[in-house]
Amino acid sequence: MKPELDLLDVISDARARVGAHPAWQSGPERIYDLLRTATKLRAMEIASGDESDLPWESVLAQLVAWHHDFPLSTGPCTESAAGEITALAAAAQHWDRLETGVRTDAYQVRLTGGGFRVRHSWNPAVEVADAFLEAASVPTQLPKLSETERRWISTRSAGSRKGPPGDVLEAAVNRATVTIEAYRKAVPEGQVPDTFPLGEGMTAGDMAGVLAVIMGLASLCEETAHRLSRLESTLAHMPIPRLMALLADMCPTVSEAHQALAVERLTYRTGRSCRTSPLGCVRNVGGEPES
């Protein structure tokens, strides 16, 4: 058998191990166990000063996708099982690229010493140039953490589960708004105007306003976790009615209908991408959905 086919068999077996893993025989809380384990491993990597090219945001997205792909059962997901699934999610970042490359003859595969040696079949200069252009389009003058946010984080108890007060959240949303505008202006093909229609009467400006609130809160949670060395705040969640009340307060220029539409489009469903729909939705004990 050709080494290319052997490698494809290895990839297929790895995917099969994911579906057969006992971690999926657990209840709906497993998503928190998986994300907690992944963020802990990422924090350990940062603390030790290790540099890797592993796209951790894609690992987290893969965990969310798998959680929704496999049926729910009962019971907890153990720490060891969550660690094994996280390792598979990290490895999965290479499977699709390898498989696509092998099937399109983009890679040369050789079997040496019991392992596979994979090399490009073409000159990768175009891909390298594209990577440099992509890096050059990322804005560098982004707003830093405000003094209001910094002061709240420094006085916050490490074990507190209380959310930020209005002035702190407003500062975070303002910072996110400036960041969003910076990224929109840096796009090489030009910025989409606020009036650009996104369907059902919603505009790009409406979506940017809702995203600023969500991104501001998420960024504040991330900064809190980093400064207090507590990962729990990166897994913040709230009931949908509470989220909608927050949006009504922080996005007065966006109609209630468009706020709800934006949240629905940003909520992950099977068949959607975690990158374009980053909000998760779980059901609590009473059966009501939570964001």
Side-chain angles (χ1 to χ4, degrees):
M1 182 179 291
K2 293 183 177 180
E4 291 87 349
L5 298 179
D6 286 334
L7 179 55
L8 292 177
D9 284 342
V10 170
I11 296 173
S12 178
D13 291 342
R15 289 200 176 104
R17 287 199 300 275
V18 173
H21 200 283
W24 307 123
Q25 300 172 11
S26 52
E29 294 296 318
R30 73 184 178 204
I31 184 61
Y32 298 115
D33 298 323
L34 293 172
L35 294 179
R36 187 180 301 112
T37 298
T39 52
K40 180 180 179 181
L41 291 174
R42 173 56 175 154
M44 292 170 61
E45 182 181 76
I46 295 174
S48 63
D50 291 341
E51 295 288 342
S52 73
D53 59 354
L54 180 64
W56 278 97
E57 68 280 5
S58 297
V59 174
L60 297 175
Q62 184 67 76
L63 293 174
V64 174
W66 282 348
H67 170 71
H68 285 268
D69 287 344
F70 298 109
L72 294 173
S73 184
T74 57
C77 178
T78 65
E79 184 175 353
S80 61
E84 292 171 2
I85 290 295
T86 300
L88 287 171
Q93 305 314 306
H94 306 287
W95 295 344
D96 289 341
R97 286 181 294 173
L98 268 177
E99 183 175 37
T100 301
V102 171
R103 292 188 183 279
T104 57
D105 294 327
Y107 294 139
Q108 294 178 344
V109 183
R110 293 182 179 180
L111 189 60
T112 58
F116 293 101
R117 182 178 181 182
V118 181
R119 302 178 64 179
H120 284 286
S121 298
W122 74 87
N123 187 342
V126 175
E127 285 76 9
V128 173
D130 184 64
F132 275 106
L133 290 174
E134 182 180 358
S137 67
V138 177
T140 56
Q141 300 298 322
L142 297 178
K144 299 184 181 298
L145 197 70
S146 68
E147 183 58 35
T148 300
E149 297 168 277
R150 195 187 315 276
R151 184 168 54 251
W152 176 74
I153 294 174
S154 65
T155 58
R156 185 175 183 269
S157 170
S160 174
R161 297 296 181 269
K162 189 176 181 180
D167 61 327
V168 176
L169 184 57
E170 183 177 1
V173 173
N174 290 338
R175 180 165 56 89
T177 300
V178 175
T179 301
I180 289 173
E181 288 305 308
Y183 272 95
R184 291 176 69 187
K185 291 178 181 178
V187 176
E189 57 268 25
Q191 178 178 342
V192 173
D194 285 342
T195 56
F196 186 84
L198 298 180
E200 301 183 56
M202 186 170 66
T203 65
D206 295 332
M207 178 60 82
V210 173
L211 275 173
V213 177
I214 295 173
M215 289 176 59
L217 180 59
S219 175
L220 186 60
C221 289
E222 184 178 1
E223 289 286 350
T224 302
H226 176 70
R227 292 172 181 271
L228 299 182
S229 298
R230 297 288 296 241
L231 294 171
E232 296 91 330
S233 65
T234 63
L235 304 178
H237 65 282
M238 65 177 66
I240 289 181
R242 189 166 152 200
L243 173 61
M244 298 310 300
L246 179 64
L247 291 174
D249 184 47
M250 303 300 297
C251 301
T253 61
V254 181
S255 70
E256 183 178 337
H258 291 158
Q259 290 172 8
L261 178 60
V263 169
E264 196 285 325
R265 292 186 181 180
L266 291 170
T267 301
Y268 180 81
R269 301 276 189 272
T270 301
R272 290 182 177 178
S273 168
C274 294
R275 294 181 180 275
T276 56
S277 298
L279 293 180
C281 185
V282 299
R283 293 194 173 273
N284 59 24
V285 177
E288 292 298 324
E290 291 187 354
S291 173

